[in-house]
Amino acid sequence: MASQALIKEFEQLLGKENVFSSEADCQTYSYDSAVLNPVVPAFVVRPTNTEQLGQCVSKLYENGIPMTVRGAGTNLSGGTIPDRSESVVILTNGLNRILEINESDLYAVVECGVVTADFANAVAAKNLLYPPDPGSQSVSTIGGNIAENAGGLRGLKYGVTKDYLMGVEFFDATGALVKSGSRTVKCVTGYNLAGMLTQSEGTLGIISQAVLKLVPPPKASKAIMAVFDDIQKAAESVAGIIASHIVPCTLELLDNNTIVRVDDFTKAGLPRDAAAILLIEVDGHPAQVEDEALVVEKVLKENNATTVHVAKDAEEKNRLWEARRMALPVLARCKPTTVLEDATVPRSQIPAMMKAINEIAAKYRLEVGTFGHAGDGNLHPTFLCDRRDKDEFHRVEEAVDEMFDVALKLQGTLSGEHGIGTAKAKWMEKETSRGTILFSQRLRRALDPKGLLNPTKLVGI
């Protein structure tokens, strides 16, 4: 039971409208997008400026109360689920100001609660580009993107969040303000704490502000849809395109189950009888785009694509990408429970990984829809099931175990972009080592001696 006196203190600091302590309000912040049991927090605080954020952290630290920071809660690994009932959620969506977009030096300064798509649109209005584009960009926040090192469709060519983080301000476990990085292209002043905060999942500090790199947008682009009667041919095409030394802006795969489900919902006119499709975009200088598109088309045909279609205009291109972005929301409507994974392998191993996913689904008698960023080896096999069916869900758990084993044998990783949280913590040592876990725990204890920052996540403390 939360101390009413402490709640009153937060109400005085933040205003009653920014402290949520009713059971109904707290239920809202008890879960994220992972298939994990919810944990209702003691109460929720919502600072609306960075000074208040630091004061919240300091007050919780003084009282020895565990804290979980939450942006939009779109993460898929349990990272924003409170650790226990006495935990307090710090909601950062009130810190939503874009402080600066510098067109001369190609950077922006934003608060942690800025919505990714809002930021990208503001940058685009200045004829610049912020490339990271996670699937949840319409609601996810910049602080969460940094904490999870979010990727997205453009990750193949442009990289992920860490590649655009020039500087960060955050509060440590005690509420002290820490700054790292700069607005300059080069900066080696002190430890690379911005790098340390990236993909730390709220365990090393609470991000308040970031300096982000911007780039000029490409002059031209071309989108291609390739249709295959065998998903293995599609997978081999991915490896073939990369082996041809072409790095598309995006290279996405959808299997038949995903194609049909998405087309039912979006009416995008996708080829419903295809075993798989690849959606590819090349961008850059107009002449480069033409040259690279010809090479891509050649590779697709050599790998027996039944159809290779080039989008005729921007409207058709956008319709294709919108269909891809709808893959997860549409699959999530199909069954009561959606188990979305992101096992990632070297790109040359995509054919082997696709074969394994389909064999594992058949072995455990499960429905799976697979889509994802095939060009960077990041697949999203999505198991459609009902958690209330204990036998079926046990089979899902066994299938996921086996899938991760295959990914690691193929020199892959447990997570390309969704993070570890609590959902994947049990597999961490398999990919790394016992020494890695102990080192990480020592680091956490040194920075957070009371063990209050997201204490059970990643490697625990």
Side-chain angles (χ1 to χ4, degrees), residues 2-3 22 46 144 176 185 224 312 371 376 381 419 438 461:
S3 162
S22 72
R46 182 179 181 269
V185 174
I224 301 166
K312 64 180 182 294
F371 62 95
D376 51 24
L438 294 174
I461 189 170

Side-chain angles (χ1 to χ4, degrees), residues 74 115-116 133-141 145 325:
T74 58
V115 172
T116 314
D133 59 339
S136 59
Q137 65 175 333
S138 63
V139 285
S140 68
T141 61
N145 291 174
R325 290 187 187 283

Side-chain angles (χ1 to χ4, degrees), residues 10-210:
F10 277 106
E11 287 177 345
Q12 289 172 358
L13 172 63
L14 307 174
K16 286 187 177 181
E17 71 278 10
N18 289 312
V19 180
F20 312 112
S21 56
S22 72
E23 185 175 349
D25 284 338
C26 289
Q27 285 278 357
T28 302
Y29 304 104
S30 65
Y31 57 90
D32 64 5
S33 299
V35 186
L36 296 168
N37 293 325
V39 178
V40 180
F43 59 96
V44 179
V45 296
R46 182 179 181 269
T48 54
N49 61 57
T50 54
E51 183 181 3
Q52 288 180 346
L53 176 59
Q55 290 170 330
C56 287
V57 176
S58 178
K59 194 175 289 291
L60 292 169
Y61 182 80
E62 289 169 5
N63 285 273
I65 296 174
M67 53 195 107
T68 298
V69 65
R70 180 187 181 98
T74 58
N75 58 293
L76 289 150
S77 57
T80 57
I81 297 177
D83 293 275
R84 38 190 183 269
S85 59
E86 63 266 30
S87 296
V88 168
V89 168
I90 300 176
L91 190 61
T92 60
N93 61 9
L95 299 165
N96 54 14
R97 295 182 301 159
I98 298 173
L99 301 173
E100 180 184 3
I101 297 176
N102 190 305
E103 298 173 67
S104 299
D105 291 320
L106 301 182
Y107 71 78
V109 183
V110 301
E111 291 183 331
C112 58
V114 170
V115 172
T116 314
D118 292 345
F119 173 57
N121 291 336
V123 168
K126 304 283 189 182
N127 195 32
L128 291 169
L129 175 67
Y130 178 67
D133 59 339
S136 59
Q137 65 175 333
S138 63
V139 285
S140 68
T141 61
I142 293 296
N145 291 174
I146 296 168
E148 298 287 341
N149 195 17
L153 275 67
R154 287 192 287 248
L156 170 60
K157 180 173 183 177
Y158 289 100
V160 296
T161 301
K162 69 178 182 181
D163 301 305
Y164 296 87
L165 184 62
M166 297 170 65
V168 68
E169 293 187 8
F170 65 96
F171 292 97
D172 71 7
T174 71
L177 178 63
V178 183
K179 299 181 180 183
S180 178
S182 173
R183 288 162 169 76
T184 58
V185 174
K186 296 177 180 178
C187 174
V188 292
T189 303
Y191 293 118
N192 180 13
L193 302 182
M196 186 179 76
L197 262 286
T198 305
Q199 71 191 55
S200 63
E201 302 186 29
T203 63
L204 301 179
I206 295 180
I207 297 159
S208 59
Q209 188 173 298

Side-chain angles (χ1 to χ4, degrees), residues 8 31 35 71 104 131 144 192 220 318 322 347 403 420 422 446 452:
K8 288 289 184 188
Y31 57 90
V35 186
S104 299
N192 180 13
N318 292 337
E322 183 58 28
R347 292 173 290 205
M403 185 181 66
I420 298 299
T422 52
L452 301 180

Side-chain angles (χ1 to χ4, degrees), residues 396-411:
V396 170
E397 291 175 320
E398 289 186 314
V400 170
D401 275 345
E402 191 166 324
M403 185 181 66
F404 283 140
D405 281 341
V406 171
L408 294 179
K409 285 175 184 174
L410 294 173
Q411 303 298 307

